[in-house]
Amino acid sequence: MSTFSPDDLTRGLELTPDQLAELRAIGTMYQRERYALAQREPGDVGAPPDALMATVIWRVRAMLRDEQRPAFDRNVEAWRTGGDIGPARHGGPRG
């Protein structure tokens, strides 16, 4: 999971500039929290990695339009089961 990025879950979706900005903010939060998790001492109490992933998924899904959510849900399911995630974007930034 070390190469995971929240924009992996939006692969194949056409995102608006506002959605891309929000996705970048979520990605920054995710990277900061992953770093903090990696720096914890054994036995430290804090949010587990699963809680972080649930937060990322919830925040990304919340910013999507209704018509984007089915494809997002399929990407999440594919990610959870280790399958391929949506079609790669062609052209434009990856979020």
Side-chain angles (χ1 to χ4, degrees):
M1 183 162 38
S2 62
T3 61
F4 171 80
S5 173
D7 62 305
D8 292 337
L9 299 177
T10 61
R11 191 170 298 156
L13 298 176
E14 293 294 324
L15 300 178
T16 67
D18 287 344
Q19 287 174 318
L20 286 170
E22 179 65 17
L23 188 63
R24 285 187 201 103
I26 294 167
T28 298
M29 178 274 308
Y30 171 76
Q31 292 301 326
R32 185 176 52 246
E33 294 296 320
R34 287 288 296 171
Y35 179 78
L37 286 170
Q39 301 304 309
R40 287 195 323 204
E41 295 292 327
D44 280 355
V45 177
D50 290 347
L52 175 58
M53 289 308 303
T55 298
V56 167
I57 290 167
W58 181 86
R59 285 190 59 191
V60 174
R61 192 173 195 283
M63 71 164 202
L64 297 174
R65 295 185 312 267
D66 289 342
E67 66 270 13
Q68 294 171 311
R69 289 183 180 140
F72 173 78
D73 292 343
R74 286 189 297 274
N75 285 348
V76 169
E77 184 61 27
W79 171 76
R80 285 184 173 149
T81 60
D84 290 332
I85 298 177
R89 288 187 190 148
H90 297 286
R94 281 244 350 184

